[in-house]
Amino acid sequence: METRALLAIVLSILVLFGFQYFMGHSPPEKPFAPPADSVLTQGTDRSPATAQPKPTVRPSEAEKALLREARDITVTTDLLRVTFTEKGGTIRSCLLKAFPVKLGDESELTELVALPSGDPPFFDLDMPGIGNISSHLCTSDQEDMDLKLGSAPGTLTFSCPLPDGRIVTREYTFHPGSYLVESRTRIRPSVQNGSAVLGIANRPLGRNSSYVFEGPEYSSNGSLVECDLKKPGESISFIGPIDWAGYGNQYFLIAIIPASPSPPSTVTFSKKDAKGPILSTLQTGGLISENGETVIETGLYLGPKDITYLKAAGHNLTNSINFGWFDPIAKPLLYALRFLDTYLHNYGVAIIIITIVIKILFWPLAYKSAKSMKTLQKIQPKLAKLKEKYGDDREQLNKELMQLYKTYKVNPLGGCLPMLLQIPVFFALYKVLLQSIELRHAPFMLWINDLSAPDRLMIPGVEIPYLDGIPVLTILMGISMYFQQKMAPTSLDPTQAKIMQFLPVVFTFMFITFPSGLVLYWLVNNVLSIAQQYYINKFTD
């Protein structure tokens, strides 16, 4: 029983890692446009502005606007650099100033929005009788804005005259120190019996672990739903209360936030073809009418999956940090890592301390487990004799085995049950170290300057195929696992023991692509387990 339980635990770990590696979520290649019956595409004219009818009499204000080119307006805060276009008052680019694409290269910042020509505009608005606002030219009320940290919020306003005489005004309010942008659209005269559809187009946001989901997602009543669109032409819709809807990956989130309290809305994620972008649309009714004008209020989060900023923005945005089943354990571990880093200023050292603390907390269980396995190893010859003597009588064999366990005061599952209790904590920490943006570009020491990337020691003049360096930390982890296995008592038969000896090799190859922060945790845990086993072997009978 003990042997089977141990093998089941090992195989479970291998299956979990293997499943995530081969079947894990990878970024959608190029995703999407709304379905044909979507409000966003009904009656939409996406032809260039110059294709509008030419005036035959005195041109209106709307027609005059079409005669000039749309300008780009850039709003810079301490965290964001957002570029708008006067074509519909939509967003052309959003750069995150605190997150360079590559470590040490501050010139290239992470881009959340940039879309190639021909893709749907970002944060477009569609309403019956108006069509897509991006097909109309607006006028900005000011030139570029620069908001410093600590300064008052700033508002950028676009005014868009329509051919039917209506005026659409789009206001964007930025708060220094926040990734949340407040949006308010006013339509005068008001629109009767209408609904508004807001759309954001997205392509993959850059480097993303194949173990972590990237794609469209939404939150309803505090619950996160990830929508994995796999086939061109596929779409997923949901009608109900929406906290937010958008697109996220391992580290970053783009989310449209309905007005609060939000009436039931319809969110649709579509993938038109394999080469197009993914489009997320939010259709909301219950539009507000104030003083003869229709008002549409929404929020737009453009930033990292940093729990501090997400919490400050509200609207259950923290749900975008998804640790799955292990969330109740993983979130406290994340807070513990952040707390330690505020004093240590080194997440690598924080990982080591967390590992030591976990090891201390589980010491009684680990001690009991190791002692039970050591006792089972001692009585192995007696177990073999009983199996030889009563091999054909299963019932009598079980009685004799129970009597033997009772005599030596050992539980056949005593070596595995404590391990089972530790597995949720292990996987919770595994999730935290794999997904947390806190480790992105976080240095440790020596050659490890990014705990979110695989460790590679570069040696001038030495090239290693496929690896681009020597995975020193991973090799040390494999060696430590080998010695840990050699020291641990086992009741496995020789054949099973030989099979288990391949595990360090399997894990070493598996961990080569893992973030160095996760490998560091596993290495430290192995070293502590070796010390623990040495103590048990030397000072217990």
Side-chain angles (χ1 to χ4, degrees):
M1 293 174 66
E2 185 269 348
T3 298
R4 292 176 181 175
L6 179 59
L7 287 174
I9 292 171
V10 173
L11 290 174
S12 297
I13 294 174
L14 289 175
V15 167
L16 179 63
F17 283 141
F19 177 82
Q20 291 195 62
Y21 183 80
F22 293 108
M23 303 295 291
H25 298 289
S26 56
E29 291 182 9
K30 318 268 176 198
F32 92 64
D37 57 351
S38 169
V39 177
L40 186 63
T41 59
Q42 288 181 358
T44 297
D45 180 7
R46 294 189 180 276
S47 58
T50 54
Q52 298 291 328
K54 295 181 180 179
T56 56
V57 201
R58 296 182 63 184
S60 66
E61 291 299 317
E63 291 167 332
K64 285 180 181 178
L66 295 174
L67 299 178
R68 66 174 177 83
E69 292 185 359
R71 297 176 299 168
D72 284 348
I73 309 296
T74 299
V75 178
T76 303
T77 72
D78 57 313
L79 301 175
L80 296 169
R81 187 180 302 150
V82 183
T83 301
F84 293 85
T85 173
E86 286 187 315
K87 197 172 182 183
T90 55
I91 297 175
R92 187 185 295 278
S93 168
C94 178
L95 296 171
L96 304 183
K97 295 172 65 177
F99 297 93
V101 173
K102 296 180 181 179
L103 183 66
D105 183 7
E106 303 298 329
S107 61
E108 187 181 358
L109 302 178
T110 295
E111 172 66 81
L112 295 187
V113 172
L115 298 165
S117 176
D119 278 3
F122 187 89
F123 207 54
D124 200 3
L125 171 68
D126 188 335
M127 295 190 68
I130 294 177
N132 287 84
I133 192 66
S134 61
S135 63
H136 303 284
L137 198 60
C138 302
T139 301
S140 170
D141 67 337
Q142 55 187 301
E143 301 294 334
D144 297 348
M145 292 172 53
D146 192 354
L147 305 176
K148 305 294 183 183
L149 181 63
S151 64
T155 299
L156 177 65
T157 303
F158 292 92
S159 180
C160 184
L162 303 181
D164 63 0
R166 283 194 178 95
I167 301 293
V168 178
T169 303
R170 304 194 80 180
E171 300 173 356
Y172 296 92
T173 301
F174 292 81
H175 298 266
S178 174
Y179 289 99
L180 182 65
V181 181
E182 296 173 357
S183 171
R184 172 176 284 207
T185 301
R186 303 175 185 271
I187 304 168
R188 179 181 290 271
S190 61
V191 177
Q192 301 298 322
N193 302 320
S195 61
V197 179
L198 291 158
I200 57 174
N202 296 102
R203 291 183 180 271
L205 299 177
R207 192 185 87 182
N208 190 71
S209 172
S210 59
Y211 298 92
V212 183
F213 175 78
E214 173 168 3
E217 54 192 10
Y218 68 90
S219 175
S220 176
N221 291 326
S223 298
L224 178 70
V225 179
E226 296 172 338
C227 302
D228 195 1
L229 300 172
K230 297 179 179 178
K231 299 178 181 179
E234 184 179 4
S235 67
I236 297 174
S237 296
F238 171 79
I239 301 176
I242 300 291
D243 302 321
W244 55 267
Y247 187 97
N249 78 342
Q250 182 177 7
Y251 296 127
F252 304 105
L253 175 68
I254 302 166
I256 304 175
I257 305 167
S260 182
S262 170
S265 306
T266 300
V267 60
T268 301
F269 304 110
S270 308
K271 182 175 183 176
K272 184 176 181 180
D273 55 61
K275 296 183 179 180
I278 286 183
L279 183 63
S280 309
T281 62
L282 178 68
Q283 178 180 342
T284 178
L287 302 181
I288 304 171
S289 292
E290 296 178 355
N291 302 320
E293 65 182 9
T294 299
V295 181
I296 306 163
E297 293 183 331
T298 54
L300 189 61
Y301 183 87
L302 301 162
K305 288 185 176 180
D306 184 305
I307 200 164
T308 300
Y309 291 107
L310 294 170
K311 201 169 187 179
H315 303 280
N316 290 318
L317 284 168
T318 52
N319 291 337
S320 63
I321 302 177
N322 179 28
F323 297 122
W325 296 341
F326 307 101
D327 202 77
I329 303 173
K331 287 282 176 66
L333 289 174
L334 175 58
Y335 279 113
L337 279 173
R338 290 169 59 94
F339 173 78
L340 289 173
D341 182 68
T342 57
Y343 295 97
L344 301 172
H345 306 293
N346 189 310
Y347 272 105
V349 178
I351 290 171
I352 293 173
I353 292 177
I354 287 288
T355 308
I356 293 172
V357 170
I358 292 175
K359 205 68 178 176
I360 291 172
L361 292 176
F362 280 104
W363 164 257
L365 290 175
Y367 179 82
K368 184 177 180 181
S369 173
K371 192 172 181 181
S372 177
M373 291 182 72
K374 190 174 181 181
T375 304
L376 283 170
Q377 187 181 39
K378 285 183 178 179
I379 64 173
Q380 195 64 32
K382 297 182 182 295
L383 290 172
K385 288 183 179 179
L386 288 176
K387 290 177 181 178
E388 183 180 349
K389 183 176 181 180
Y390 301 103
D392 297 330
D393 188 347
R394 178 66 61 180
E395 183 177 349
Q396 185 62 33
L397 175 62
N398 287 335
K399 288 182 181 179
E400 294 294 333
L401 287 174
M402 290 300 106
Q403 183 59 44
L404 183 64
Y405 293 146
K406 185 176 180 180
T407 301
Y408 285 90
K409 298 179 181 180
V410 60
N411 184 343
L413 295 179
C416 293
L417 288 178
M419 293 171 62
L420 288 172
L421 294 175
Q422 297 178 61
I423 283 178
V425 176
F426 158 71
F427 280 119
L429 189 54
Y430 158 76
K431 285 281 190 180
V432 170
L433 298 180
L434 185 66
Q435 295 180 218
S436 297
I437 195 170
E438 286 79 2
L439 299 187
R440 184 180 184 270
H441 294 176
F444 174 41
M445 61 185 296
L446 301 176
W447 70 93
I448 303 175
N449 53 15
D450 185 356
L451 287 168
S452 70
D455 82 286
R456 297 291 186 266
L457 176 60
M458 305 298 180
I459 299 178
V462 177
E463 294 186 8
I464 302 178
Y466 307 110
L467 295 180
D468 299 324
I470 303 175
V472 177
L473 206 64
T474 311
I475 293 172
L476 291 175
M477 185 277 298
I479 294 172
S480 67
M481 190 173 182
Y482 170 78
F483 281 106
Q484 177 192 357
Q485 193 180 75
K486 294 291 285 185
M487 292 182 65
T490 178
S491 58
L492 300 176
D493 62 52
T495 302
Q496 292 172 331
K498 287 180 180 179
I499 294 174
M500 295 293 285
Q501 287 177 1
F502 285 99
L503 278 182
V505 177
V506 172
F507 272 70
T508 299
F509 277 98
M510 206 163 53
F511 272 61
I512 281 178
T513 59
F514 279 15
S516 54
L518 181 60
V519 180
L520 175 64
Y521 158 70
W522 197 287
L523 170 61
V524 174
N525 184 70
N526 286 351
V527 171
L528 293 174
S529 297
I530 290 171
Q532 173 183 280
Q533 193 62 53
Y534 174 80
Y535 173 85
I536 292 172
N537 291 346
K538 188 172 180 65
F539 298 104
T540 60
D541 296 327

